[in-house]
Amino acid sequence: MTIAVEKVLYTARATAEGGRDGRTATDDGKLDVTVAPPKEMGGTGDGTNPEQLFAAGFASCFHSALKLVARKARQDSEGSTVTAEVGIGPINGGTGYGLEVALVVSLPGVERPVAEELVAKAHEVCPYSNATRGNIRFTLTVA
């Protein structure tokens, strides 16, 4: 199923030079990072990597969605956190690569059944969740 955006509210633009071993920067200059493969993939590990950037984006986006649904449900999201783990590895017998994502959500002031309901609703709201749903192995845990 393809998701169609009804109205684009914002467009981020970034340019990469050198792929996984180079530099990536946004057109507004707010993000400008050296990119290097991690040591686990034969690189130097001397820079960030696309998986770390994706994990940071997913965690931030999901946390915003969580705070939104918590506010609408009149639940306290103070002190909440979202940790994203993004794994990369071979697929199709090694002819390509794929990602998998695990999100761990902590809502310390909310009873577990309510927290689980809020997290499920956030998963429906979050653009990253919507973009990856059904495409990758994904786990969602309430800590």
Side-chain angles (χ1 to χ4, degrees):
M1 174 177 84
T2 300
I3 296 173
V5 174
E6 294 172 10
K7 178 183 177 185
V8 174
L9 301 175
Y10 169 76
T11 299
R13 184 172 292 106
T15 302
E17 300 171 357
R20 287 185 165 274
D21 205 359
R23 176 179 163 266
T24 300
T26 56
D27 65 339
D28 63 4
K30 292 183 180 179
L31 179 71
D32 190 338
V33 294
T34 299
V35 182
K39 291 180 180 180
E40 295 85 349
M41 293 178 66
T44 64
D46 289 340
T48 191
N49 60 65
E51 292 70 39
Q52 289 175 324
L53 295 170
F54 188 72
F58 208 145
S60 296
C61 188
F62 195 92
H63 196 218
S64 288
L66 178 65
K67 291 171 66 171
L68 172 72
V69 299
R71 184 173 61 249
K72 286 183 176 181
R74 296 186 179 177
Q75 295 293 321
D76 183 13
S77 63
E78 188 69 30
S80 61
T81 61
V82 175
T83 301
E85 298 176 0
V86 175
I88 184 172
I91 60 171
N92 301 327
T95 62
Y97 288 86
L99 299 175
E100 64 180 34
V101 173
L103 295 183
V104 179
V105 181
S106 173
L107 269 164
V110 180
E111 293 182 25
R112 184 171 192 88
V114 175
E116 289 173 348
E117 184 178 315
L118 293 173
V119 167
K121 286 181 182 175
H123 186 48
E124 297 299 317
V125 171
C126 175
Y128 278 68
S129 292
N130 288 328
T132 59
R133 187 173 291 109
N135 298 321
I136 62 173
R137 182 178 299 149
F138 179 88
T139 57
L140 187 54
T141 306
V142 177

